[in-house]
Amino acid sequence: MKWPADVSALPSRRLRWLLVSLTIAVAIGVYAMWDYIAARRVTAAIVSVAQSGGAINRAQVELSDAGLDSANDAAPFYLAAASLASTSLPYGTVALPGGRGFSGVPAPGALQAWYTTGDLPAGMLQQARNVVDQQSDSLRLLDAATLKPFKGFGQSTTYGAQVMQFEQLCRLCNTRTVYAAATGNARLAVESLRSELALFAEPERPVHRSPLPRVLLSTLSLSLLLNRSTVDEAALASLAAAFERADDDRLLERELNTLRGNYIDAFLERARYSHGFSLFVGGVPGEPGVVLRPLLGSRVREHLDTYRELLAASRLPWTTRLDQLRSVAIRRQWRDDTGFLVNHGWSTDPWGFTALTLNLASARVARAAIAVERYRLAHRGELPDTLEQTVPAFLPAVPIDPYSGKPIRFSRLDGGFEVYGVSFDRIDNGGDALADEPVIRVRK
């Protein structure tokens, strides 16, 4: 008996289908193994970060509700002061030379040109007085907050919603400092400057991570104060302590740790609550919803590796620290959404880490200037020839300019002195405040 021609081909067809089925099965098995390894590696990477002491929660937000009746917690006082600062009475418009003008609380750029000279227009001084008078309750709450320990905001507080309110509060406090310094009220100026620094310069305070170099403005306010008033030793020592707390050499490392912690927090929230994404960490290989898990896992590991490289660079000496951070950021093509590495108006270099570093440089200029003033008081009006003469009585060591890697500049002037650092362009412009160089120039 002969088989039909079409039936005799069945064994070869069965063999082909068997091979195809085996290929598909092997592919599924390989993918499942890849998927499983990827999930384990992602989970292990995050666990290792958590166990190595990396910041997992935001450094300035404690996940405990702070009640409004908490007498020993700064958080409710900060929130109340910020709320009052954002709901002030209407301000009049002040006319300035050249057809310019401003209303409300002066912006930092509107004040900066007058800081080093002290020649503030009469209209600006009157406006500043109006602002301080109208916001007396807000400023009173701020002063109370800065004297209390800051334990963090509660879970019920939306930190992002307070950003603009705290921005207004910073400007308000700076306006009070400038007004008090310009009118020769040394006591009020010193107290206001301490509150101003506590608000945004100390690591635990609520606006520590402001994208603007606000310590630069405080340094220029100090220059105005030293030119307009005689400040005694006790007040100078208190200001030295306030600026020392703002002199945080680990500023960039702390910021990167916070950014990494925020990234991990956001990832874990998505893994925990998003439908379908919940399998990203704990799912069984091959289940629906994990098709892209290996690809996503690779991106997570790459992001964590970038933070690892940036953190390693942030521990190098100045100025190698800035160069290496820029190199890693460009090579990794890394951005974040906090304004830390992007152009924020104070720099033409979007990779410069300029804002936070300018805060550090400004704090060191201020500390050096205060040390010179304390030396002058201790030596009956005589100025030191170099900053080294203020060590160790008034400075533990001569501060290093983070942009140049060299000591802060100091020179004697006729009847006074000048202390300054360079800015993000790393060019020595001789202490040019309009080039964003932190400078204190005292003539007495």
Side-chain angles (χ1 to χ4, degrees):
M1 180 177 181
K2 295 183 178 180
W3 292 100
D6 56 341
V7 176
S8 62
L10 285 177
S12 61
R13 291 180 180 178
R14 289 173 181 171
L15 181 60
R16 285 199 297 269
W17 280 112
L18 179 61
L19 291 175
V20 169
S21 299
L22 287 174
T23 302
I24 294 174
V26 170
I28 292 175
V30 170
Y31 176 82
M33 183 61 67
W34 180 36
D35 173 69
Y36 176 77
I37 293 173
R40 291 291 300 271
R41 289 182 64 187
V42 171
T43 306
I46 292 177
V47 169
S48 67
V49 170
Q51 293 177 344
S52 66
I56 298 301
N57 293 312
R58 295 176 183 176
Q60 69 270 60
V61 178
E62 182 181 277
L63 297 181
S64 60
D65 289 320
L68 292 178
D69 59 346
S70 179
N72 198 34
D73 188 356
F77 291 89
Y78 275 131
L79 294 175
S83 179
L84 284 176
S86 65
T87 57
S88 60
L89 298 173
Y91 302 119
T93 300
V94 175
L96 299 177
R100 295 175 298 145
F102 76 95
S103 62
V105 179
L111 290 172
Q112 191 168 345
W114 293 284
Y115 276 179
T116 54
T117 64
D119 298 326
L120 277 72
M124 179 174 285
L125 282 177
Q126 184 60 47
Q127 178 73 320
R129 178 176 180 177
N130 293 340
V131 168
V132 172
D133 289 344
Q134 292 172 6
Q135 293 284 9
S136 59
D137 288 338
S138 177
L139 290 167
R140 176 178 54 80
L141 288 168
L142 169 62
D143 293 337
T146 55
L147 296 176
K148 298 178 181 296
F150 179 64
K151 301 177 181 180
F153 296 115
Q155 285 180 295
S156 59
T157 301
T158 304
Y159 183 76
Q162 307 295 334
V163 170
M164 290 308 298
Q165 294 180 4
F166 279 112
E167 168 71 13
Q168 183 80 347
L169 189 58
C170 285
R171 291 171 60 184
L172 171 61
C173 190
N174 183 253
T175 298
R176 179 180 63 174
T177 304
V178 170
Y179 174 73
T183 55
N185 190 338
R187 182 191 61 79
L188 177 60
V190 169
E191 292 177 356
S192 182
L193 189 53
R194 285 203 302 262
S195 291
E196 184 179 322
L197 285 164
L199 179 63
F200 55 77
E202 297 183 30
E204 71 275 13
R205 294 298 168 175
V207 290
H208 172 62
R209 295 175 60 237
S210 170
L212 291 176
R214 293 205 167 276
V215 183
L216 172 63
L217 302 182
S218 298
T219 299
L220 296 173
S221 298
L222 175 65
S223 180
L224 182 61
L225 170 62
L226 295 179
N227 276 288
R228 288 297 186 93
S229 305
T230 299
V231 186
D232 60 30
E233 165 61 23
L236 286 173
S238 69
L239 288 177
F243 277 103
E244 184 177 4
R245 287 190 290 272
D247 186 352
D248 182 5
D249 194 70
R250 294 180 57 199
L251 195 63
L252 298 178
E253 181 184 357
R254 293 181 194 278
E255 176 69 7
L256 285 164
N257 253 325
T258 301
L259 291 174
R260 181 177 62 170
N262 291 346
Y263 174 77
I264 294 173
D265 281 345
F267 163 77
L268 292 178
E269 287 297 310
R270 291 178 64 192
R272 189 176 297 117
Y273 297 115
S274 297
H275 177 68
F277 198 78
S278 60
L279 300 174
F280 188 73
V281 173
V284 177
E287 285 189 10
V290 296
V291 175
L292 296 178
R293 184 160 65 182
L295 177 60
L296 295 174
S298 176
R299 290 179 178 176
V300 170
R301 291 195 305 275
E302 182 180 354
H303 214 85
L304 292 176
D305 286 343
T306 301
Y307 276 119
R308 177 181 52 77
E309 289 190 36
L310 289 171
L311 281 165
S314 71
R315 303 182 187 105
L316 296 173
W318 302 103
T319 62
T320 306
R321 185 178 310 186
L322 293 174
D323 295 334
Q324 188 63 22
L325 282 167
R326 185 179 188 276
S327 174
V328 172
I330 291 176
R331 175 167 49 81
R332 288 282 191 173
Q333 297 183 352
W334 185 71
R335 297 287 202 283
D336 69 274
D337 59 357
T338 66
F340 184 45
L341 281 180
V342 298
N343 191 343
H344 43 68
W346 287 76
S347 170
T348 56
D349 180 3
W351 301 102
F353 292 78
T354 56
L356 294 177
T357 309
L358 192 52
N359 279 331
L360 182 62
S362 301
R364 293 180 174 182
V365 166
R367 291 181 62 206
I370 292 171
V372 172
E373 277 295 309
R374 296 177 72 186
Y375 181 98
R376 188 209 297 258
L377 286 177
H379 293 79
R380 299 182 180 181
E382 289 295 324
L383 288 170
D385 295 319
T386 64
L387 285 179
E388 283 77 5
Q389 289 182 254
T390 67
V391 178
F394 307 111
L395 280 175
V398 177
I400 298 298
D401 185 341
Y403 287 113
S404 67
K406 300 177 181 179
I408 294 294
R409 274 82 165 164
F410 167 78
S411 59
R412 296 177 58 162
L413 306 174
D414 292 338
F417 67 91
E418 178 183 64
V419 180
Y420 72 95
V422 300
S423 189
F424 45 77
D425 60 5
R426 306 197 192 181
I427 299 174
D428 188 345
N429 295 300
D432 185 359
L434 296 181
D436 294 323
E437 289 187 343
V439 56
I440 293 180
R441 192 174 293 116
V442 179
R443 295 184 182 275
K444 289 186 178 179

